[in-house]
Amino acid sequence: SLKTESKTSELLTCNWDRRNENFLKEYKELLASEDKMLKLDSHAETLCQLKDFQKELVSSAEDKFPENYYSLLAKMCQDKPTPLTKLSKEIYKAIIPEEVETPLSLLTIAEAIVVVCERKCWGVKRSKVVQNEDASSDSRWRWEASTLEFLPQDQRVLLKNYRKDRRHKLKRINAYGKFFALMKKDNRDDSKLSIAAEKIVKFNREHISKCLKRRSREGITSNQIAKKAKKEQREKQKKEREAKLAQKKAETEKRKFEAQKKKEDMRRKKEEAKRKKDEVERKKMEKQKKIEATLRKQSSSFASFFKITQKKKQDVEEVQMTVGRFHKWETPPNTTMAPVLPHKTTLTMEEMEKEIRKGGASVKLSFKPAKRKYNKISRSKLLQYHEDVRPPWWGKHPLVKCEQVSGRRPFGRSSELDYDNDSEAEWEAEPNDGEELRSDDEDQDEEEISEKK
């Protein structure tokens, strides 16, 4: 047995004390290393939701966190290492302004955080600790959203990769812990220690390969990022040029529009001035026409006193006949001739003259009296109505026969008369301030009477 112990002590792989020191250094470095975390506090979606929440917070009157804003809590708690109490205070200050009075309490926010998120241990697990309030650094506590649906779409793939790295680190931490537990035993088992050490080496090897792959990917992605940046720069320059051209075009269109508007305003002003001028002239013309109309009415009313009625001249048919040695008969003034033939005959005037010259010719005449058309003169009548403005009418008028109006049809209407014409509307009352016209004899009589008095 002494020989086997001396042999194993000489082996490098079984130098457990030395290896324990190396593993302990690696273990401390592993616990002190920082994980990659999502910083969703400044994400655009988070800020937009926060503004909407603060607007609704003013009108809310219940001590209950709205369910439609659970995703806001998940984004603000993701990857935070702080305990629940401290985290609740930080979120309360972040989402509720100081000047706003709200019934929402700190306990309500803490309960909502526990519903939305879960606190996971990615390091050394300890028993008999409060999971949500433990603050030990080697436990590597992280708040994780209960579902990826609460997080933005563009951050879900990154979170999955970060969780893979954390699981791999947790495996390494557990492997170191198992090795340290075997080293603390009084009876060390080299086979178990070697298996535990081999696991540590395996995980370290995988970690190194992942780091190399990540670096290669980062190199590729860095080239892609550079190309993408150049492309974005070119697009940005193109957009700037297009924006400048659009601005110039807008300015030219604006100038054209302003010039057109100015022309339109000038034209409108000219039309308005012309319209006003025409209106003034029209009013002057109307005023002049009214004055002329009043003057005509006054002159016509004045001239109506001196109107001379002319009698119609009667048409007289003069028959010029020369018989033998007799001179031509001329009618004296103010006389009319009777009809030549009061009776009808079948002979013409020439035939009658021939028969008379023959001397013994018998002229056959028909003694049927000719029908004369005359108008019956009715008796004098007085036409006066109490609603009339004009003075009454007294006189005679001929009786005109009308087929439309008769004794059986007293309400018929004659086609020769205009029943719609109101002759009374055309009547103009005599002016009261008119001058009374008298003869010279009347004026002399009045003067003699006044002298006698």
Side-chain angles (χ1 to χ4, degrees):
S1 62
L2 292 171
K3 288 180 181 179
T4 55
E5 285 178 3
S6 61
K7 287 181 180 179
T8 52
S9 61
E10 291 176 359
L11 297 173
L12 295 175
T13 55
C14 295
N15 192 358
W16 303 117
D17 295 330
R18 183 65 179 172
R19 295 190 74 178
N20 187 23
E21 291 177 1
N22 293 334
F23 286 160
L24 187 60
K25 288 179 182 179
E26 292 175 1
Y27 180 69
K28 287 180 180 180
E29 290 176 359
L30 183 61
L31 292 176
S33 63
E34 294 181 357
D35 296 335
K36 290 184 178 181
M37 296 184 295
L38 293 177
K39 295 180 181 179
L40 301 177
D41 294 341
S42 59
H43 195 270
E45 190 174 333
T46 308
L47 296 174
C48 184
Q49 278 187 325
L50 183 60
K51 286 181 181 178
D52 296 339
F53 174 76
Q54 288 176 352
K55 287 179 183 178
E56 293 184 9
L57 188 64
V58 179
S59 60
S60 65
E62 295 180 356
D63 188 11
K64 184 181 178 181
F65 197 87
E67 294 182 0
N68 54 339
Y69 288 103
Y70 277 169
S71 59
L72 176 63
L73 277 181
K75 293 182 186 73
M76 298 186 77
C77 295
Q78 181 63 37
D79 293 340
K80 294 292 178 64
T82 53
L84 180 62
T85 304
K86 189 176 179 181
L87 182 64
S88 301
K89 291 179 181 179
E90 291 176 357
I91 291 174
Y92 187 87
K93 290 180 181 178
I95 64 175
I96 299 175
E98 294 179 357
E99 64 274 6
V100 178
E101 294 182 0
T102 176
L104 202 64
S105 62
L106 191 64
L107 181 61
T108 306
I109 292 175
E111 290 175 354
I113 290 170
V114 173
V115 171
V116 173
C117 300
E118 180 185 1
R119 200 176 190 217
K120 290 185 178 182
C121 178
W122 299 102
V124 179
K125 292 182 180 180
R126 289 186 174 83
S127 59
K128 297 180 181 181
V129 294
V130 180
Q131 181 179 355
N132 292 335
E133 299 294 339
D134 186 24
S136 56
S137 60
D138 54 354
S139 295
R140 298 172 64 84
W141 294 102
R142 296 288 183 271
W143 286 96
E144 298 281 351
S146 59
T147 176
L148 291 175
E149 299 297 327
F150 288 146
L151 304 179
Q153 186 71 32
D154 57 342
Q155 302 294 320
R156 294 175 187 176
V157 178
L158 289 174
L159 182 60
K160 288 179 181 179
N161 293 330
Y162 294 164
R163 284 180 178 177
K164 284 182 182 179
D165 294 340
R166 287 172 191 170
R167 290 191 197 100
H168 190 265
K169 277 187 180 181
L170 182 60
K171 288 179 181 180
R172 290 173 68 191
I173 290 168
N174 292 335
Y176 281 115
K178 192 174 182 180
F179 179 81
F180 296 147
L182 292 172
M183 287 293 294
K184 287 179 182 179
K185 290 181 178 181
D186 296 333
N187 296 323
R188 295 176 181 176
D189 191 352
D190 293 339
S191 61
K192 291 182 179 179
L193 287 170
S194 63
I195 292 169
E198 186 62 30
K199 278 187 178 180
I200 291 170
V201 173
K202 180 184 176 183
F203 288 138
N204 289 337
R205 197 184 300 122
E206 289 177 358
H207 175 66
I208 291 167
S209 64
K210 283 183 178 180
C211 289
L212 293 173
K213 285 180 182 179
R214 189 181 294 114
R215 286 176 184 175
S216 63
R217 283 200 303 271
E218 286 176 357
I220 293 167
T221 52
S222 62
N223 294 330
Q224 291 176 354
I225 289 167
K227 289 180 181 179
K228 189 176 180 181
K230 287 181 180 179
K231 188 176 179 181
E232 287 178 356
Q233 189 176 2
R234 287 196 297 271
E235 289 179 354
K236 188 178 179 181
Q237 291 176 356
K238 186 178 178 181
K239 286 181 180 179
E240 287 177 355
R241 288 195 298 270
E242 290 177 353
K244 286 181 180 179
L245 290 172
Q247 188 177 1
K248 287 182 180 179
K249 189 175 180 181
E251 288 177 357
T252 53
E253 288 179 356
K254 187 178 179 181
R255 286 197 294 270
K256 286 181 181 178
F257 178 75
E258 287 177 354
Q260 189 175 0
K261 189 178 180 182
K262 194 174 179 181
K263 286 181 180 179
E264 189 70 20
D265 292 339
M266 292 291 290
R267 185 184 63 78
R268 198 180 293 110
K269 286 179 181 178
K270 287 180 180 179
E271 289 180 355
E272 187 68 19
K274 187 178 179 182
R275 187 185 66 78
K276 288 181 179 179
K277 189 177 179 181
D278 294 342
E279 186 71 17
V280 171
E281 290 179 356
R282 186 180 64 79
K283 286 181 179 179
K284 285 183 179 179
M285 291 292 290
E286 288 179 355
K287 191 175 180 181
Q288 188 69 24
K289 284 180 181 179
K290 285 181 181 180
I291 293 167
E292 290 176 357
T294 53
L295 291 173
R296 280 198 301 272
K297 286 180 181 179
Q298 290 175 2
S299 62
S300 62
S301 62
F302 182 75
S304 63
F305 292 100
F306 305 100
K307 189 173 182 181
I308 300 170
T309 56
Q310 294 179 359
K311 293 182 179 180
K312 293 183 179 179
K313 295 181 179 179
Q314 295 181 356
D315 297 331
V316 180
E317 294 182 359
E318 295 181 356
V319 181
Q320 297 180 1
M321 296 178 63
T322 56
V323 180
R325 294 176 289 177
F326 295 100
H327 295 286
K328 181 180 178 181
W329 173 260
E330 292 182 357
T331 57
N334 298 325
T335 58
T336 57
M337 292 292 294
V340 178
L341 294 174
H343 304 285
K344 286 187 178 180
T345 181
T346 56
L347 300 175
T348 61
M349 291 295 291
E350 295 177 356
E351 291 175 352
M352 287 175 65
E353 288 178 3
K354 287 179 182 179
E355 291 293 333
I356 291 167
R357 285 175 182 174
K358 287 178 181 179
S362 61
V363 179
K364 295 180 180 181
L365 300 174
S366 62
F367 294 96
K368 292 181 181 180
K371 292 182 180 180
R372 296 181 181 178
K373 292 183 180 180
Y374 60 91
N375 295 329
K376 293 181 181 180
I377 305 300
S378 63
R379 292 177 294 176
S380 299
K381 291 185 179 181
L382 175 67
L383 300 178
Q384 183 179 9
Y385 303 96
H386 67 279
E387 67 270 11
D388 281 356
V389 178
R390 57 188 176 182
W393 183 85
W394 168 263
K396 296 179 181 181
H397 63 89
L399 295 173
V400 181
K401 289 185 178 181
C402 180
E403 295 179 357
Q404 289 84 5
V405 184
S406 63
R408 292 186 179 183
R409 290 183 293 179
F411 298 106
R413 290 195 173 193
S414 175
S415 60
E416 297 178 358
L417 299 177
D418 186 6
Y419 292 92
D420 295 331
N421 184 18
D422 189 6
S423 60
E424 186 181 0
E426 299 176 358
W427 178 262
E428 293 181 1
E430 295 181 357
N432 295 327
D433 55 350
E435 185 180 355
E436 186 177 358
L437 299 176
R438 296 180 181 180
S439 62
D440 296 335
D441 297 335
E442 289 177 351
D443 292 338
Q444 288 177 3
D445 293 338
E446 285 185 358
E447 289 177 359
E448 289 175 359
I449 292 164
S450 61
E451 287 176 359
K452 287 177 181 180
K453 286 182 179 181

